[in-house]
């Protein structure tokens, strides 16, 4: 009978001395026993493939042992072809043995007469067919070994197998490989779930760390500055007004037609909706129709020579909002020695387009220049080669909001070319430093009256405080969103120049407390506008000092503070007669008392923002709308309590609503009125 010989199978044994291969016969006392797990009644699943050559199931490692070279040629009983192992029967037919993984193990366990095969084990570490734990990560679960290779290194095993063993090899191979594949698939599934969970945790941790630079967290009352000073309550007009508000719920006999008090002292608003006639669609004015036609045919306009500046600004705004602004219209604005040029968004313009449009512009009469969002088209060398080179002898107001490429050198060149500059807007100019502010103040200390530095987070305001105090005519100061603004800075600033200030904007300056409000109330008696939106550490005590000190205030902006309903009502009772704009956005506790005070005192109020004030009932909002006859704009974003009862029942025909469903939004948002003068508060010289 022919003898089936396999090639040598690599194996990594323990470190023992090598010995010569010994041939074991079936009569020997030493035997090798292996166990193979088989499955019946099921087709073996496919083995997962892996691109890693060291993976235990990769094609280069899962054939263990394999018969890649065999003795004999075409006339030999065993031959190979196309990379696969075949067994030739006596009748001339061939059997494809496929992958020999587990086949010899099966034959080794069932001895029998007939043919014999030889398996040679040596200590060669290359191409080891044994499965290992490599690639299983931290799970440490092993793929079951299909062979028991505990034989000494270099030994050889002579196996006698029956001829029928070869006929059953193909079935045995599939069953053995199927068992291995099932175990490996289960291990891969566990490994995938483990790695997926670990990856999600890593992503979550990374997102939490990076979110701190993007998110704006709500500052709770108890998370204020560590040196929070306790301020005594203000005595005066505010205290008297607060007592009057508290007495509303204690009157035994109520004679007021705006509200009623029940037995428990709860105040409720009385308002009866009317039957407002449906006027249908509002008729646009002739001016709006003409501007709409010009907007649609802006490319066909040849000149704007006789067009008033007010209409130029409106048309420029309409083209910007509709994304139709282009170089052609900018050239029209720069022609014929213009007095004013206003572009509300220059982000579409390149450096070459900007430089080409200003080459033929005569700037000797230019008084107002607004080039917002011009960071893309205006670096230092473009600014120095166009505007600063031509000279701006009559320029009084300039806005370069969002010019993030301008540095201190570019600012110095600009102010040297504009000797009478009074209003400067450098918001979001992130490359400016303290040195640039000092150089501007040295050149324009006697002319600057309005300074806007919103979003310049790199500026430390305590370092530029001496420069701000040098501005003899400063009336408007905006430091919105600067984290370095604190109580000490505000106190020293208003103590020095508070008597001349008209407008202070400290929105999003989260480190301010009641101490800063006390300093403003005691030193800024001529203040007309105050914005402390999102300054969450100001409490009822702080607005008490504001009410006592600001007798002629026209604009007040609050947002996201924890003021009580009685405190806000007392503030309005104190200074509500002079108010024209009032923002109570997202004041959670505002309710009926505030609505009654607004209805009684704010006869000159034109704009009111009560968005997200959900304790104001529909009746309270209707009372405000019907009694504030000068009210032109009412913002109701987030007021889910508003229904058709109010929308169809208020009687103020001139009132515009923004926020409810089916109401315009962009059209009615606050924008600088183009009819205003270049300066909000013209200097009296």
């Amino acid at each position: 009978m022919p003898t089936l010989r396999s090639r040598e199978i690599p194996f990594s044994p323990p470190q023992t001395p090598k010995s010569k291969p010994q041939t074991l016969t079936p009569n020997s006392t030493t035997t090798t026993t292996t166990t193979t797990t088989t499955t019946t009644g099921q087709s073996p699943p496919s083995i997962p493939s892996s691109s890693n050559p060291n993976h235990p199931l990769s094609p280069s490692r899962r054939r263990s042992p394999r018969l890649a070279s065999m003795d004999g040629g075409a006339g030999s009983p065993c031959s190979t072809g196309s990379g696969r192992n075949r067994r030739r029967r006596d009748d001339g037919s061939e059997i494809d043995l496929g992958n020999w993984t587990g086949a010899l193990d099966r034959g080794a366990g069932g001895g029998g007469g007939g043919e014999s095969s030889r398996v040679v084990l040596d200590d060669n570490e290359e191409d080891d067919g044994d499965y290992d734990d490599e690639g299983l990560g931290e799970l440490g679960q092993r793929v079951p070994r299909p062979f028991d290779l505990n034989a000494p290194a270099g030994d050889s095993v002579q196996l006698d197998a029956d001829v029928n063993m070869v006929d059953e090899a193909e079935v045995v191979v599939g069953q053995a490989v199927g068992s291995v594949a099932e175990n490996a698939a289960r291990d891969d599934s566990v490994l995938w779930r483990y790695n997926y969970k670990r990856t999600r945790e890593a992503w979550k941790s990374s997102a939490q760390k990076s979110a701190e630079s993007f998110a704006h967290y709500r500052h709770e009352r108890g998370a204020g500055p560590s040196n929070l000073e306790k301020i005594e309550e203000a005595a005066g007009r505010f205290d008297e007004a607060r007592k009057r508000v508290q007495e509303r719920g204690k009157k035994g006999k109520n004679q007021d037609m705006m509200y009623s008090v029940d037995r428990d002292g709860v105040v409720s608003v009385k308002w009866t909706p009317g039957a407002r006639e449906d006027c249908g669609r509002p008729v646009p004015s002739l001016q709006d129709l003409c501007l709409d036609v010009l907007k649609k045919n802006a490319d066909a306009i040849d000149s704007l020579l006789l067009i008033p500046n007010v209409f130029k600004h409106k048309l420029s705004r309409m083209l910007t909002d509709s994304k139709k602004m282009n170089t052609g219209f900018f050239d029209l604005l720069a022609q014929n020695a213009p007095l004013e040029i206003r572009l509300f968004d220059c982000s579409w313009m390149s450096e070459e387009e900007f430089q080409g449009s200003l080459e033929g512009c005569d700037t000797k009469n230019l008084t107002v220049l607004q080039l917002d969002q011009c960071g893309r088209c205006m670096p230092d060398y473009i600014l120095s080669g166009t505007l600063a080179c031509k000279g701006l002898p009559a320029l009084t107001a300039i806005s370069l909001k969002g010019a993030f490429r301008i540095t201190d050198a570019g600012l110095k060149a600009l102010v040297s070319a504009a000797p009478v500059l009074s209003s400067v807007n450098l918001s979001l100019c992130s490359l400016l430093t303290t040195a640039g502010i000092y150089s501007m103040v040295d050149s324009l200390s006697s002319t600057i009256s309005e300074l806007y530095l919103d979003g310049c987070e790199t500026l430390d305001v305590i370092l530029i405080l001496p420069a701000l105090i040098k501005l003899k005519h400063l009336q408007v100061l905006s430091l919105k969103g600067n984290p370095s603004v604190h109580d000490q800075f505000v106190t020293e600033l208003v103590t020095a120049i508070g008597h001349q200030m008209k407008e202070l904007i400290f929105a999003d300056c989260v480190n301010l407390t009641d101490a800063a409000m006390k300093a403003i109330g005691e030193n800024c008696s001529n203040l007309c506008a105050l914005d402390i939106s999102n300054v969450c550490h100001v409490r009822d005590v702080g607005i008490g000092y504001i009410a006592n000190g600001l007798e002629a205030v026209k604009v007040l902006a609050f947002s996201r503070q924890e003021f009580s309903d009685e405190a806000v009502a007392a503030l309005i009772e104190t200074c509500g007669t002079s108010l024209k704009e009032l923002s109570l956005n997202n004041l959670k506790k505002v309710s009926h008392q505030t609505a009654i005070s607004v209805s009684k005192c704010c006869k000159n109020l034109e704009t009111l923002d009560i968005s997200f004030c959900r304790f104001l009932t529909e009746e309270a909002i209707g009372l405000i709308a019907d009694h504030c006859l000068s009210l032109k704009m009412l913002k109701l974003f987030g007021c889910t309590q508003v229904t058709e009862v109010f929308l169809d029942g208020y009687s103020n025909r001139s009132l515009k609503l923004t926020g409810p469903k089916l109401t315009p939004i962009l059209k009615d948002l606050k924008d600088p009125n183009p009819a205003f003068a270049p300066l909000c508060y013209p200097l009296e010289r």
Side-chain angles (χ1 to χ4, degrees):
M1 297 296 293
T3 301
L4 180 65
R5 297 179 56 88
S6 71
R7 71 167 184 173
E8 297 179 349
I9 301 176
F11 176 67
S12 298
Q15 297 296 330
T16 56
K18 297 183 179 180
S19 59
K20 296 181 180 180
Q22 298 178 0
T23 302
L24 302 181
T25 61
N27 297 328
S28 301
T29 58
T30 303
T31 59
T32 301
T33 305
T34 59
T35 304
T36 302
T37 305
T38 60
T39 57
T40 59
Q42 297 180 356
S43 59
S46 60
I47 301 178
S49 60
S50 174
S51 59
N52 183 8
N54 295 323
H55 193 276
L57 297 181
S58 62
S60 61
R61 298 183 64 87
R62 65 172 180 244
R63 298 183 61 189
S64 175
R66 60 180 177 268
L67 304 179
S69 62
M70 304 180 66
D71 296 336
S76 177
C78 297
S79 62
T80 59
S82 303
R84 301 181 61 87
N85 300 313
R86 296 178 179 274
R87 176 69 168 93
R88 186 182 300 276
R89 291 181 175 178
D90 296 336
D91 58 357
S93 62
E94 293 183 351
I95 298 177
D96 189 356
L97 300 183
N99 192 330
W100 277 76
T101 304
L104 294 182
D105 182 40
R106 176 76 172 181
E115 300 186 30
S116 62
S117 60
R118 179 185 296 271
V119 179
V120 181
L121 306 179
D122 61 6
D123 57 349
N124 187 4
E125 296 181 356
E126 298 180 358
D127 192 20
D128 189 357
D130 186 19
Y131 291 96
D132 53 21
D133 297 332
E134 187 176 353
L136 294 182
E138 300 178 3
L139 294 178
Q141 298 184 5
R142 303 174 63 89
V143 177
R145 299 176 181 269
F147 294 96
D148 186 6
L149 301 180
N150 296 324
D155 288 356
S156 61
V157 181
Q158 179 73 27
L159 301 178
D160 292 334
D162 189 81
V163 178
N164 296 330
M165 178 268 297
V166 181
D167 298 336
E168 300 174 359
E170 187 172 8
V171 177
V172 174
V173 167
Q175 294 174 350
V177 172
S179 176
V180 174
E182 288 179 354
N183 294 332
R186 183 174 63 253
D187 295 341
D188 287 348
S189 176
V190 175
L191 177 62
W192 182 87
R193 289 195 298 268
Y194 173 78
N195 290 335
Y196 178 74
K197 182 178 180 181
R198 186 171 58 179
T199 303
R200 280 182 58 88
E201 293 177 353
W203 287 346
K204 182 178 179 180
S205 177
S206 177
Q208 289 176 348
K209 293 179 180 179
S210 61
E212 298 178 357
S213 59
F214 299 99
H216 297 278
Y217 295 98
R218 179 179 177 182
H219 296 267
E220 301 295 341
R221 171 172 294 189
S226 57
N227 57 347
L228 187 63
E229 180 182 358
K230 186 176 181 180
I231 306 298
E232 298 180 356
E233 293 188 3
R237 298 186 305 158
F238 177 78
D239 189 51
E240 296 175 0
R242 190 166 188 172
K243 291 180 180 179
R244 291 196 302 269
V245 171
Q246 293 174 350
E247 289 294 327
R248 290 174 183 168
K250 298 180 181 180
K251 290 184 178 180
K253 185 177 180 180
N254 181 31
Q255 298 179 354
D256 201 316
M257 300 300 296
M258 292 185 179
Y259 63 93
S260 61
V261 183
D262 59 10
R263 296 179 180 179
D264 298 331
V266 178
V267 179
S268 59
V269 175
K270 295 190 298 183
W271 174 72
T272 303
R276 193 161 57 94
E277 296 182 1
D278 188 7
C279 300
R281 183 178 179 181
V283 179
S285 63
L286 181 60
Q287 181 185 120
D288 294 338
L289 291 175
C290 294
L291 289 175
D292 189 61
V293 172
L294 291 176
K295 182 193 73 172
K296 294 179 180 178
N297 301 276
D299 295 337
I301 300 176
D302 293 333
S303 176
L304 298 173
L305 179 60
L306 300 178
I307 303 297
N309 288 326
V310 175
F311 296 142
K312 288 182 182 178
H313 305 332
K314 287 186 176 180
L315 185 57
S316 176
R317 167 62 75 181
M318 295 171 67
L319 291 174
T320 301
D321 292 341
S322 60
K323 304 298 181 182
K324 293 184 178 180
M325 179 63 70
N326 53 28
T327 310
F329 191 81
F330 183 38
D331 294 339
L332 295 177
L333 294 176
Q335 288 177 0
N336 304 316
L339 295 177
E340 298 182 9
I341 297 177
R342 294 194 180 187
L343 290 181
F344 302 93
D345 186 0
C346 301
S347 59
W348 54 271
M349 193 184 308
S350 64
E351 297 178 8
E352 294 77 11
E353 293 173 340
F354 179 77
Q355 191 172 7
S357 297
L358 289 183
E359 282 182 354
C361 179
D362 187 0
T363 59
K364 62 181 180 180
N365 297 326
L366 190 62
T367 58
V368 178
L369 179 61
Q370 182 177 0
L371 300 172
D372 291 345
Q373 312 302 331
C374 60
R376 178 189 175 193
C377 62
M378 190 182 294
D380 285 346
Y381 64 90
I382 295 293
L383 179 62
S384 302
T386 54
L387 298 175
C389 181
K390 289 178 175 293
L392 303 166
L395 189 66
T396 58
I398 187 170
S399 176
L400 300 178
K401 182 179 180 180
F404 55 84
R405 299 173 67 184
I406 292 182
T407 63
D408 297 339
L411 179 60
K412 184 177 181 180
L414 176 64
V415 299
S416 62
V420 295
L421 200 58
S422 299
S423 178
V424 181
N425 189 344
L426 300 174
S427 301
L428 302 175
C429 295
S430 55
L431 296 183
L432 295 181
T433 64
T434 305
I437 302 300
Y438 271 93
S439 64
M440 179 182 64
V441 171
D442 292 340
S443 302
L444 305 172
S445 59
S446 60
T447 61
I448 290 184
S449 61
E450 300 177 4
L451 182 59
Y452 301 87
L453 298 173
D454 300 344
C456 297
E457 298 182 358
T458 57
L459 290 177
D460 191 349
V461 295
I462 201 66
L463 297 180
I464 65 174
L465 178 61
L468 298 178
I469 295 176
K470 291 181 181 179
L471 299 176
K472 302 176 182 179
H473 302 285
L474 185 64
Q475 295 181 341
V476 179
L477 178 62
S478 179
L479 297 171
K480 180 179 179 181
N482 194 313
S484 63
V485 176
H486 48 76
D487 293 341
Q488 180 185 356
F489 167 78
V490 174
T491 302
E492 295 182 9
L493 177 69
V494 299
T495 302
I497 58 175
H499 60 281
Q500 68 190 40
M501 298 302 299
K502 298 290 185 180
E503 184 172 345
L504 288 173
I505 302 176
F506 294 135
D508 299 317
C509 298
V510 296
N511 293 320
L512 294 181
T513 64
D514 295 333
M517 302 302 108
K518 180 180 179 181
I520 292 174
E522 293 176 350
N523 297 281
C524 302
S525 57
N526 297 321
L527 198 66
C528 297
L530 177 64
D531 187 354
I532 54 171
S533 301
N534 303 326
V535 183
C536 303
H537 303 307
V538 177
R539 307 170 185 174
D540 293 352
V541 178
I543 63 173
Y545 284 100
I546 293 175
N548 290 335
L550 309 184
E551 299 179 358
V553 65
K554 297 180 180 179
V555 180
L556 281 177
F558 305 114
S559 179
R560 296 182 178 88
Q561 282 93 353
E562 298 292 335
F563 301 147
S564 65
D565 187 27
E566 295 178 353
V568 177
L571 171 68
I572 296 172
E573 292 272 349
T574 304
C575 55
T577 55
S578 62
L579 283 176
K580 290 188 176 181
E581 295 184 16
L582 177 62
S583 174
L584 305 176
N585 188 302
N586 210 353
L587 298 187
K588 302 295 185 181
K589 299 181 180 179
V590 165
S591 187
H592 297 314
Q593 299 286 11
T594 300
I596 296 171
S597 297
V598 170
S599 302
K600 293 175 61 176
C601 303
C602 297
K603 300 303 180 181
N604 299 318
L605 190 65
E606 297 178 358
T607 303
L608 177 62
D609 186 1
I610 52 175
S611 301
F612 299 96
C613 296
R614 291 172 179 167
F615 281 171
L616 283 174
T617 61
E618 197 171 28
E619 291 76 15
I621 299 175
L623 184 69
I624 295 173
D626 288 349
H627 284 79
C628 298
L629 301 180
S630 299
L631 194 62
K632 299 178 181 179
M633 176 64 63
L634 180 61
K635 298 181 181 180
L636 298 173
F637 292 98
C639 293
T640 56
Q641 70 273 25
V642 175
T643 64
E644 298 295 334
V645 176
F646 167 75
L647 297 178
D648 297 335
Y650 70 92
S651 60
N652 191 346
R653 297 283 297 273
S654 61
L655 179 62
K656 292 182 179 180
L657 302 179
T658 302
K661 295 180 180 180
L662 302 179
T663 56
I665 297 178
L666 294 178
K667 183 179 178 181
D668 297 324
L669 288 179
K670 180 180 178 181
D671 259 337
N673 193 334
F676 282 171
L679 302 178
C680 297
Y681 309 94
L683 298 176
E684 299 178 359
R685 297 175 181 171

